[in-house]
Amino acid sequence: MLHWALTFFILAIIAGLLGFSQIVGTATWIAQALFVVFLILAVISLLTGRKPVM
């Protein structure tokens, strides 16, 4: 998920350099949303951890 967030962020930077403002806004929003989802899932994963199998 972090990979996709970085991909959309790079897409937003390239679109910004080329002057496509609508694409910049959309790609930035998607990158931010994916990054937030990644952070939430990472925190949940860290809190729960691996439990030993009995």
Side-chain angles (χ1 to χ4, degrees):
M1 185 146 328
L2 186 59
H3 171 70
W4 282 107
L6 289 174
T7 301
F8 277 105
F9 179 68
I10 291 170
L11 176 68
I13 290 174
I14 292 171
L17 291 174
L18 296 176
F20 297 109
S21 61
Q22 184 67 28
I23 296 173
V24 172
T26 303
T28 304
W29 183 83
I30 292 172
Q32 287 176 347
L34 288 174
F35 187 70
V36 168
V37 170
F38 166 75
L39 286 178
I40 290 170
L41 291 175
V43 168
I44 290 172
S45 177
L46 286 173
L47 291 177
T48 58
R50 280 192 168 247
K51 304 218 180 341
V53 178
M54 292 208 180

PDB file of all heavy atoms in Angstrom, residues 13-50:
ATOM      1  N   ILE A  13       3.606  14.876  -8.573  1.00  0.00           N
ATOM      2  CA  ILE A  13       4.739  15.785  -8.795  1.00  0.00           C
ATOM      3  C   ILE A  13       4.978  15.990 -10.287  1.00  0.00           C
ATOM      4  O   ILE A  13       5.153  17.124 -10.755  1.00  0.00           O
ATOM      5  CB  ILE A  13       6.004  15.254  -8.092  1.00  0.00           C
ATOM      6  CG1 ILE A  13       5.843  15.370  -6.583  1.00  0.00           C
ATOM      7  CG2 ILE A  13       7.242  16.018  -8.556  1.00  0.00           C
ATOM      8  CD1 ILE A  13       6.965  14.735  -5.810  1.00  0.00           C
ATOM      9  N   ILE A  14       4.962  14.907 -11.047  1.00  0.00           N
ATOM     10  CA  ILE A  14       5.197  15.012 -12.497  1.00  0.00           C
ATOM     11  C   ILE A  14       4.075  15.797 -13.159  1.00  0.00           C
ATOM     12  O   ILE A  14       4.322  16.664 -14.008  1.00  0.00           O
ATOM     13  CB  ILE A  14       5.337  13.603 -13.115  1.00  0.00           C
ATOM     14  CG1 ILE A  14       6.620  12.947 -12.620  1.00  0.00           C
ATOM     15  CG2 ILE A  14       5.332  13.675 -14.638  1.00  0.00           C
ATOM     16  CD1 ILE A  14       6.747  11.487 -12.991  1.00  0.00           C
ATOM     17  N   ALA A  15       2.833  15.534 -12.774  1.00  0.00           N
ATOM     18  CA  ALA A  15       1.704  16.267 -13.343  1.00  0.00           C
ATOM     19  C   ALA A  15       1.777  17.749 -12.979  1.00  0.00           C
ATOM     20  O   ALA A  15       1.427  18.613 -13.784  1.00  0.00           O
ATOM     21  CB  ALA A  15       0.387  15.665 -12.863  1.00  0.00           C
ATOM     22  N   GLY A  16       2.244  18.040 -11.779  1.00  0.00           N
ATOM     23  CA  GLY A  16       2.393  19.437 -11.372  1.00  0.00           C
ATOM     24  C   GLY A  16       3.442  20.163 -12.207  1.00  0.00           C
ATOM     25  O   GLY A  16       3.271  21.325 -12.570  1.00  0.00           O
ATOM     26  N   LEU A  17       4.528  19.474 -12.489  1.00  0.00           N
ATOM     27  CA  LEU A  17       5.567  20.080 -13.313  1.00  0.00           C
ATOM     28  C   LEU A  17       5.090  20.328 -14.734  1.00  0.00           C
ATOM     29  O   LEU A  17       5.527  21.278 -15.393  1.00  0.00           O
ATOM     30  CB  LEU A  17       6.816  19.192 -13.332  1.00  0.00           C
ATOM     31  CG  LEU A  17       7.584  19.092 -12.014  1.00  0.00           C
ATOM     32  CD1 LEU A  17       8.703  18.061 -12.133  1.00  0.00           C
ATOM     33  CD2 LEU A  17       8.144  20.445 -11.624  1.00  0.00           C
ATOM     34  N   LEU A  18       4.187  19.471 -15.221  1.00  0.00           N
ATOM     35  CA  LEU A  18       3.674  19.618 -16.578  1.00  0.00           C
ATOM     36  C   LEU A  18       2.451  20.537 -16.647  1.00  0.00           C
ATOM     37  O   LEU A  18       1.997  20.858 -17.736  1.00  0.00           O
ATOM     38  CB  LEU A  18       3.330  18.245 -17.163  1.00  0.00           C
ATOM     39  CG  LEU A  18       4.529  17.305 -17.340  1.00  0.00           C
ATOM     40  CD1 LEU A  18       4.052  15.943 -17.822  1.00  0.00           C
ATOM     41  CD2 LEU A  18       5.534  17.895 -18.302  1.00  0.00           C
ATOM     42  N   GLY A  19       1.901  20.927 -15.509  1.00  0.00           N
ATOM     43  CA  GLY A  19       0.805  21.896 -15.482  1.00  0.00           C
ATOM     44  C   GLY A  19      -0.588  21.298 -15.492  1.00  0.00           C
ATOM     45  O   GLY A  19      -1.549  21.987 -15.812  1.00  0.00           O
ATOM     46  N   PHE A  20      -0.740  20.045 -15.175  1.00  0.00           N
ATOM     47  CA  PHE A  20      -2.059  19.419 -15.132  1.00  0.00           C
ATOM     48  C   PHE A  20      -2.611  19.523 -13.709  1.00  0.00           C
ATOM     49  O   PHE A  20      -2.449  18.622 -12.891  1.00  0.00           O
ATOM     50  CB  PHE A  20      -1.975  17.948 -15.552  1.00  0.00           C
ATOM     51  CG  PHE A  20      -1.512  17.751 -16.961  1.00  0.00           C
ATOM     52  CD1 PHE A  20      -0.252  17.240 -17.224  1.00  0.00           C
ATOM     53  CD2 PHE A  20      -2.334  18.075 -18.023  1.00  0.00           C
ATOM     54  CE1 PHE A  20       0.182  17.050 -18.517  1.00  0.00           C
ATOM     55  CE2 PHE A  20      -1.915  17.891 -19.327  1.00  0.00           C
ATOM     56  CZ  PHE A  20      -0.651  17.376 -19.578  1.00  0.00           C
ATOM     57  N   SER A  21      -3.299  20.615 -13.412  1.00  0.00           N
ATOM     58  CA  SER A  21      -3.727  20.882 -12.040  1.00  0.00           C
ATOM     59  C   SER A  21      -4.807  19.912 -11.549  1.00  0.00           C
ATOM     60  O   SER A  21      -4.825  19.551 -10.374  1.00  0.00           O
ATOM     61  CB  SER A  21      -4.206  22.315 -11.903  1.00  0.00           C
ATOM     62  OG  SER A  21      -5.315  22.538 -12.750  1.00  0.00           O
ATOM     63  N   GLN A  22      -5.712  19.496 -12.406  1.00  0.00           N
ATOM     64  CA  GLN A  22      -6.775  18.577 -11.981  1.00  0.00           C
ATOM     65  C   GLN A  22      -6.189  17.222 -11.590  1.00  0.00           C
ATOM     66  O   GLN A  22      -6.593  16.636 -10.594  1.00  0.00           O
ATOM     67  CB  GLN A  22      -7.803  18.398 -13.103  1.00  0.00           C
ATOM     68  CG  GLN A  22      -8.993  17.547 -12.719  1.00  0.00           C
ATOM     69  CD  GLN A  22      -9.864  18.194 -11.666  1.00  0.00           C
ATOM     70  OE1 GLN A  22      -9.932  19.413 -11.564  1.00  0.00           O
ATOM     71  NE2 GLN A  22     -10.523  17.391 -10.877  1.00  0.00           N
ATOM     72  N   ILE A  23      -5.243  16.735 -12.353  1.00  0.00           N
ATOM     73  CA  ILE A  23      -4.611  15.447 -12.055  1.00  0.00           C
ATOM     74  C   ILE A  23      -3.795  15.548 -10.773  1.00  0.00           C
ATOM     75  O   ILE A  23      -3.743  14.602  -9.981  1.00  0.00           O
ATOM     76  CB  ILE A  23      -3.743  14.984 -13.237  1.00  0.00           C
ATOM     77  CG1 ILE A  23      -4.623  14.727 -14.450  1.00  0.00           C
ATOM     78  CG2 ILE A  23      -2.952  13.744 -12.883  1.00  0.00           C
ATOM     79  CD1 ILE A  23      -3.857  14.426 -15.711  1.00  0.00           C
ATOM     80  N   VAL A  24      -3.168  16.695 -10.549  1.00  0.00           N
ATOM     81  CA  VAL A  24      -2.367  16.890  -9.339  1.00  0.00           C
ATOM     82  C   VAL A  24      -3.245  16.755  -8.094  1.00  0.00           C
ATOM     83  O   VAL A  24      -2.887  16.048  -7.150  1.00  0.00           O
ATOM     84  CB  VAL A  24      -1.666  18.266  -9.351  1.00  0.00           C
ATOM     85  CG1 VAL A  24      -1.012  18.545  -8.018  1.00  0.00           C
ATOM     86  CG2 VAL A  24      -0.639  18.326 -10.457  1.00  0.00           C
ATOM     87  N   GLY A  25      -4.383  17.410  -8.102  1.00  0.00           N
ATOM     88  CA  GLY A  25      -5.273  17.352  -6.950  1.00  0.00           C
ATOM     89  C   GLY A  25      -5.774  15.949  -6.676  1.00  0.00           C
ATOM     90  O   GLY A  25      -5.800  15.488  -5.523  1.00  0.00           O
ATOM     91  N   THR A  26      -6.167  15.250  -7.723  1.00  0.00           N
ATOM     92  CA  THR A  26      -6.682  13.897  -7.562  1.00  0.00           C
ATOM     93  C   THR A  26      -5.590  12.935  -7.104  1.00  0.00           C
ATOM     94  O   THR A  26      -5.797  12.141  -6.177  1.00  0.00           O
ATOM     95  CB  THR A  26      -7.280  13.396  -8.898  1.00  0.00           C
ATOM     96  OG1 THR A  26      -8.290  14.306  -9.322  1.00  0.00           O
ATOM     97  CG2 THR A  26      -7.878  12.013  -8.741  1.00  0.00           C
ATOM     98  N   ALA A  27      -4.426  12.991  -7.728  1.00  0.00           N
ATOM     99  CA  ALA A  27      -3.337  12.089  -7.362  1.00  0.00           C
ATOM    100  C   ALA A  27      -2.855  12.358  -5.939  1.00  0.00           C
ATOM    101  O   ALA A  27      -2.532  11.426  -5.197  1.00  0.00           O
ATOM    102  CB  ALA A  27      -2.184  12.220  -8.353  1.00  0.00           C
ATOM    103  N   THR A  28      -2.820  13.617  -5.552  1.00  0.00           N
ATOM    104  CA  THR A  28      -2.407  13.961  -4.184  1.00  0.00           C
ATOM    105  C   THR A  28      -3.406  13.426  -3.167  1.00  0.00           C
ATOM    106  O   THR A  28      -3.020  12.874  -2.138  1.00  0.00           O
ATOM    107  CB  THR A  28      -2.260  15.481  -4.039  1.00  0.00           C
ATOM    108  OG1 THR A  28      -1.341  15.948  -5.013  1.00  0.00           O
ATOM    109  CG2 THR A  28      -1.771  15.855  -2.663  1.00  0.00           C
ATOM    110  N   TRP A  29      -4.687  13.585  -3.473  1.00  0.00           N
ATOM    111  CA  TRP A  29      -5.723  13.097  -2.563  1.00  0.00           C
ATOM    112  C   TRP A  29      -5.642  11.581  -2.416  1.00  0.00           C
ATOM    113  O   TRP A  29      -5.735  11.050  -1.300  1.00  0.00           O
ATOM    114  CB  TRP A  29      -7.102  13.507  -3.076  1.00  0.00           C
ATOM    115  CG  TRP A  29      -8.199  13.107  -2.157  1.00  0.00           C
ATOM    116  CD1 TRP A  29      -8.631  13.763  -1.047  1.00  0.00           C
ATOM    117  CD2 TRP A  29      -8.981  11.909  -2.252  1.00  0.00           C
ATOM    118  NE1 TRP A  29      -9.643  13.044  -0.447  1.00  0.00           N
ATOM    119  CE2 TRP A  29      -9.879  11.917  -1.169  1.00  0.00           C
ATOM    120  CE3 TRP A  29      -9.015  10.855  -3.142  1.00  0.00           C
ATOM    121  CZ2 TRP A  29     -10.791  10.900  -0.967  1.00  0.00           C
ATOM    122  CZ3 TRP A  29      -9.923   9.836  -2.930  1.00  0.00           C
ATOM    123  CH2 TRP A  29     -10.804   9.868  -1.853  1.00  0.00           C
ATOM    124  N   ILE A  30      -5.454  10.868  -3.524  1.00  0.00           N
ATOM    125  CA  ILE A  30      -5.346   9.408  -3.477  1.00  0.00           C
ATOM    126  C   ILE A  30      -4.105   8.996  -2.686  1.00  0.00           C
ATOM    127  O   ILE A  30      -4.157   8.069  -1.870  1.00  0.00           O
ATOM    128  CB  ILE A  30      -5.317   8.814  -4.898  1.00  0.00           C
ATOM    129  CG1 ILE A  30      -6.676   8.998  -5.573  1.00  0.00           C
ATOM    130  CG2 ILE A  30      -4.954   7.335  -4.867  1.00  0.00           C
ATOM    131  CD1 ILE A  30      -6.681   8.623  -7.038  1.00  0.00           C
ATOM    132  N   ALA A  31      -2.981   9.679  -2.912  1.00  0.00           N
ATOM    133  CA  ALA A  31      -1.747   9.351  -2.193  1.00  0.00           C
ATOM    134  C   ALA A  31      -1.925   9.560  -0.689  1.00  0.00           C
ATOM    135  O   ALA A  31      -1.491   8.730   0.114  1.00  0.00           O
ATOM    136  CB  ALA A  31      -0.587  10.191  -2.724  1.00  0.00           C
ATOM    137  N   GLN A  32      -2.575  10.643  -0.307  1.00  0.00           N
ATOM    138  CA  GLN A  32      -2.795  10.894   1.117  1.00  0.00           C
ATOM    139  C   GLN A  32      -3.720   9.851   1.735  1.00  0.00           C
ATOM    140  O   GLN A  32      -3.474   9.369   2.847  1.00  0.00           O
ATOM    141  CB  GLN A  32      -3.386  12.282   1.322  1.00  0.00           C
ATOM    142  CG  GLN A  32      -2.403  13.395   1.103  1.00  0.00           C
ATOM    143  CD  GLN A  32      -3.053  14.765   1.218  1.00  0.00           C
ATOM    144  OE1 GLN A  32      -4.270  14.894   1.236  1.00  0.00           O
ATOM    145  NE2 GLN A  32      -2.223  15.793   1.288  1.00  0.00           N
ATOM    146  N   ALA A  33      -4.770   9.491   1.021  1.00  0.00           N
ATOM    147  CA  ALA A  33      -5.712   8.495   1.533  1.00  0.00           C
ATOM    148  C   ALA A  33      -5.027   7.143   1.705  1.00  0.00           C
ATOM    149  O   ALA A  33      -5.196   6.474   2.733  1.00  0.00           O
ATOM    150  CB  ALA A  33      -6.913   8.376   0.595  1.00  0.00           C
ATOM    151  N   LEU A  34      -4.237   6.732   0.715  1.00  0.00           N
ATOM    152  CA  LEU A  34      -3.533   5.458   0.819  1.00  0.00           C
ATOM    153  C   LEU A  34      -2.510   5.473   1.941  1.00  0.00           C
ATOM    154  O   LEU A  34      -2.325   4.473   2.640  1.00  0.00           O
ATOM    155  CB  LEU A  34      -2.850   5.122  -0.509  1.00  0.00           C
ATOM    156  CG  LEU A  34      -3.769   4.705  -1.652  1.00  0.00           C
ATOM    157  CD1 LEU A  34      -2.975   4.557  -2.937  1.00  0.00           C
ATOM    158  CD2 LEU A  34      -4.491   3.423  -1.311  1.00  0.00           C
ATOM    159  N   PHE A  35      -1.849   6.601   2.149  1.00  0.00           N
ATOM    160  CA  PHE A  35      -0.866   6.695   3.221  1.00  0.00           C
ATOM    161  C   PHE A  35      -1.538   6.597   4.588  1.00  0.00           C
ATOM    162  O   PHE A  35      -1.026   5.936   5.489  1.00  0.00           O
ATOM    163  CB  PHE A  35      -0.072   7.994   3.102  1.00  0.00           C
ATOM    164  CG  PHE A  35       1.068   8.079   4.064  1.00  0.00           C
ATOM    165  CD1 PHE A  35       2.178   7.267   3.905  1.00  0.00           C
ATOM    166  CD2 PHE A  35       1.032   8.961   5.132  1.00  0.00           C
ATOM    167  CE1 PHE A  35       3.237   7.330   4.802  1.00  0.00           C
ATOM    168  CE2 PHE A  35       2.072   9.030   6.028  1.00  0.00           C
ATOM    169  CZ  PHE A  35       3.188   8.215   5.860  1.00  0.00           C
ATOM    170  N   VAL A  36      -2.689   7.213   4.743  1.00  0.00           N
ATOM    171  CA  VAL A  36      -3.420   7.134   6.016  1.00  0.00           C
ATOM    172  C   VAL A  36      -3.876   5.701   6.275  1.00  0.00           C
ATOM    173  O   VAL A  36      -3.754   5.197   7.395  1.00  0.00           O
ATOM    174  CB  VAL A  36      -4.615   8.111   6.017  1.00  0.00           C
ATOM    175  CG1 VAL A  36      -5.555   7.846   7.184  1.00  0.00           C
ATOM    176  CG2 VAL A  36      -4.115   9.545   6.062  1.00  0.00           C
ATOM    177  N   VAL A  37      -4.375   5.035   5.244  1.00  0.00           N
ATOM    178  CA  VAL A  37      -4.786   3.637   5.408  1.00  0.00           C
ATOM    179  C   VAL A  37      -3.579   2.779   5.777  1.00  0.00           C
ATOM    180  O   VAL A  37      -3.670   1.903   6.643  1.00  0.00           O
ATOM    181  CB  VAL A  37      -5.466   3.120   4.123  1.00  0.00           C
ATOM    182  CG1 VAL A  37      -5.683   1.620   4.184  1.00  0.00           C
ATOM    183  CG2 VAL A  37      -6.785   3.831   3.901  1.00  0.00           C
ATOM    184  N   PHE A  38      -2.435   3.034   5.135  1.00  0.00           N
ATOM    185  CA  PHE A  38      -1.208   2.301   5.472  1.00  0.00           C
ATOM    186  C   PHE A  38      -0.837   2.513   6.933  1.00  0.00           C
ATOM    187  O   PHE A  38      -0.494   1.562   7.638  1.00  0.00           O
ATOM    188  CB  PHE A  38      -0.062   2.750   4.566  1.00  0.00           C
ATOM    189  CG  PHE A  38       1.288   2.321   5.051  1.00  0.00           C
ATOM    190  CD1 PHE A  38       1.695   1.008   4.910  1.00  0.00           C
ATOM    191  CD2 PHE A  38       2.145   3.226   5.659  1.00  0.00           C
ATOM    192  CE1 PHE A  38       2.948   0.607   5.360  1.00  0.00           C
ATOM    193  CE2 PHE A  38       3.383   2.837   6.117  1.00  0.00           C
ATOM    194  CZ  PHE A  38       3.790   1.519   5.969  1.00  0.00           C
ATOM    195  N   LEU A  39      -0.885   3.754   7.408  1.00  0.00           N
ATOM    196  CA  LEU A  39      -0.535   4.032   8.803  1.00  0.00           C
ATOM    197  C   LEU A  39      -1.479   3.335   9.775  1.00  0.00           C
ATOM    198  O   LEU A  39      -1.043   2.771  10.780  1.00  0.00           O
ATOM    199  CB  LEU A  39      -0.544   5.538   9.060  1.00  0.00           C
ATOM    200  CG  LEU A  39       0.622   6.324   8.492  1.00  0.00           C
ATOM    201  CD1 LEU A  39       0.437   7.813   8.797  1.00  0.00           C
ATOM    202  CD2 LEU A  39       1.932   5.834   9.058  1.00  0.00           C
ATOM    203  N   ILE A  40      -2.768   3.354   9.474  1.00  0.00           N
ATOM    204  CA  ILE A  40      -3.745   2.703  10.349  1.00  0.00           C
ATOM    205  C   ILE A  40      -3.487   1.203  10.409  1.00  0.00           C
ATOM    206  O   ILE A  40      -3.461   0.602  11.486  1.00  0.00           O
ATOM    207  CB  ILE A  40      -5.179   3.005   9.867  1.00  0.00           C
ATOM    208  CG1 ILE A  40      -5.506   4.477  10.109  1.00  0.00           C
ATOM    209  CG2 ILE A  40      -6.194   2.105  10.567  1.00  0.00           C
ATOM    210  CD1 ILE A  40      -6.792   4.938   9.468  1.00  0.00           C
ATOM    211  N   LEU A  41      -3.260   0.586   9.246  1.00  0.00           N
ATOM    212  CA  LEU A  41      -2.994  -0.846   9.219  1.00  0.00           C
ATOM    213  C   LEU A  41      -1.668  -1.190   9.901  1.00  0.00           C
ATOM    214  O   LEU A  41      -1.553  -2.225  10.564  1.00  0.00           O
ATOM    215  CB  LEU A  41      -3.007  -1.363   7.779  1.00  0.00           C
ATOM    216  CG  LEU A  41      -4.369  -1.358   7.089  1.00  0.00           C
ATOM    217  CD1 LEU A  41      -4.226  -1.785   5.638  1.00  0.00           C
ATOM    218  CD2 LEU A  41      -5.349  -2.240   7.820  1.00  0.00           C
ATOM    219  N   ALA A  42      -0.672  -0.327   9.771  1.00  0.00           N
ATOM    220  CA  ALA A  42       0.618  -0.566  10.422  1.00  0.00           C
ATOM    221  C   ALA A  42       0.478  -0.502  11.935  1.00  0.00           C
ATOM    222  O   ALA A  42       1.044  -1.339  12.648  1.00  0.00           O
ATOM    223  CB  ALA A  42       1.651   0.442   9.936  1.00  0.00           C
ATOM    224  N   VAL A  43      -0.271   0.457  12.441  1.00  0.00           N
ATOM    225  CA  VAL A  43      -0.478   0.574  13.892  1.00  0.00           C
ATOM    226  C   VAL A  43      -1.249  -0.628  14.413  1.00  0.00           C
ATOM    227  O   VAL A  43      -0.901  -1.198  15.458  1.00  0.00           O
ATOM    228  CB  VAL A  43      -1.196   1.899  14.231  1.00  0.00           C
ATOM    229  CG1 VAL A  43      -1.685   1.912  15.669  1.00  0.00           C
ATOM    230  CG2 VAL A  43      -0.276   3.073  13.969  1.00  0.00           C
ATOM    231  N   ILE A  44      -2.292  -1.039  13.693  1.00  0.00           N
ATOM    232  CA  ILE A  44      -3.062  -2.211  14.115  1.00  0.00           C
ATOM    233  C   ILE A  44      -2.170  -3.449  14.130  1.00  0.00           C
ATOM    234  O   ILE A  44      -2.214  -4.261  15.062  1.00  0.00           O
ATOM    235  CB  ILE A  44      -4.284  -2.418  13.193  1.00  0.00           C
ATOM    236  CG1 ILE A  44      -5.311  -1.319  13.438  1.00  0.00           C
ATOM    237  CG2 ILE A  44      -4.915  -3.793  13.412  1.00  0.00           C
ATOM    238  CD1 ILE A  44      -6.455  -1.312  12.453  1.00  0.00           C
ATOM    239  N   SER A  45      -1.335  -3.582  13.108  1.00  0.00           N
ATOM    240  CA  SER A  45      -0.434  -4.728  13.032  1.00  0.00           C
ATOM    241  C   SER A  45       0.572  -4.712  14.177  1.00  0.00           C
ATOM    242  O   SER A  45       0.875  -5.758  14.762  1.00  0.00           O
ATOM    243  CB  SER A  45       0.295  -4.717  11.695  1.00  0.00           C
ATOM    244  OG  SER A  45       1.221  -5.762  11.626  1.00  0.00           O
ATOM    245  N   LEU A  46       1.089  -3.550  14.512  1.00  0.00           N
ATOM    246  CA  LEU A  46       2.047  -3.457  15.613  1.00  0.00           C
ATOM    247  C   LEU A  46       1.398  -3.749  16.961  1.00  0.00           C
ATOM    248  O   LEU A  46       2.016  -4.345  17.840  1.00  0.00           O
ATOM    249  CB  LEU A  46       2.696  -2.077  15.638  1.00  0.00           C
ATOM    250  CG  LEU A  46       3.730  -1.808  14.548  1.00  0.00           C
ATOM    251  CD1 LEU A  46       4.151  -0.338  14.587  1.00  0.00           C
ATOM    252  CD2 LEU A  46       4.923  -2.705  14.713  1.00  0.00           C
ATOM    253  N   LEU A  47       0.161  -3.317  17.134  1.00  0.00           N
ATOM    254  CA  LEU A  47      -0.527  -3.535  18.403  1.00  0.00           C
ATOM    255  C   LEU A  47      -0.914  -4.994  18.607  1.00  0.00           C
ATOM    256  O   LEU A  47      -0.850  -5.504  19.723  1.00  0.00           O
ATOM    257  CB  LEU A  47      -1.759  -2.633  18.504  1.00  0.00           C
ATOM    258  CG  LEU A  47      -1.476  -1.133  18.648  1.00  0.00           C
ATOM    259  CD1 LEU A  47      -2.786  -0.365  18.659  1.00  0.00           C
ATOM    260  CD2 LEU A  47      -0.672  -0.851  19.902  1.00  0.00           C
ATOM    261  N   THR A  48      -1.366  -5.639  17.553  1.00  0.00           N
ATOM    262  CA  THR A  48      -1.810  -7.016  17.706  1.00  0.00           C
ATOM    263  C   THR A  48      -0.635  -7.981  17.688  1.00  0.00           C
ATOM    264  O   THR A  48      -0.594  -8.919  18.475  1.00  0.00           O
ATOM    265  CB  THR A  48      -2.813  -7.405  16.596  1.00  0.00           C
ATOM    266  OG1 THR A  48      -2.197  -7.231  15.335  1.00  0.00           O
ATOM    267  CG2 THR A  48      -4.068  -6.587  16.703  1.00  0.00           C
ATOM    268  N   GLY A  49       0.326  -7.767  16.806  1.00  0.00           N
ATOM    269  CA  GLY A  49       1.504  -8.613  16.748  1.00  0.00           C
ATOM    270  C   GLY A  49       1.194 -10.049  16.388  1.00  0.00           C
ATOM    271  O   GLY A  49       0.045 -10.417  16.167  1.00  0.00           O
ATOM    272  N   ARG A  50       2.226 -10.859  16.362  1.00  0.00           N
ATOM    273  CA  ARG A  50       2.028 -12.281  16.109  1.00  0.00           C
ATOM    274  C   ARG A  50       1.772 -12.987  17.422  1.00  0.00           C
ATOM    275  O   ARG A  50       2.483 -12.813  18.388  1.00  0.00           O
ATOM    276  CB  ARG A  50       3.252 -12.881  15.450  1.00  0.00           C
ATOM    277  CG  ARG A  50       3.338 -12.616  14.012  1.00  0.00           C
ATOM    278  CD  ARG A  50       4.418 -13.498  13.423  1.00  0.00           C
ATOM    279  NE  ARG A  50       4.316 -13.453  11.992  1.00  0.00           N
ATOM    280  CZ  ARG A  50       3.971 -14.482  11.253  1.00  0.00           C
ATOM    281  NH1 ARG A  50       3.730 -15.639  11.804  1.00  0.00           N
ATOM    282  NH2 ARG A  50       3.890 -14.367   9.960  1.00  0.00           N
TER     283      ARG A  50
END
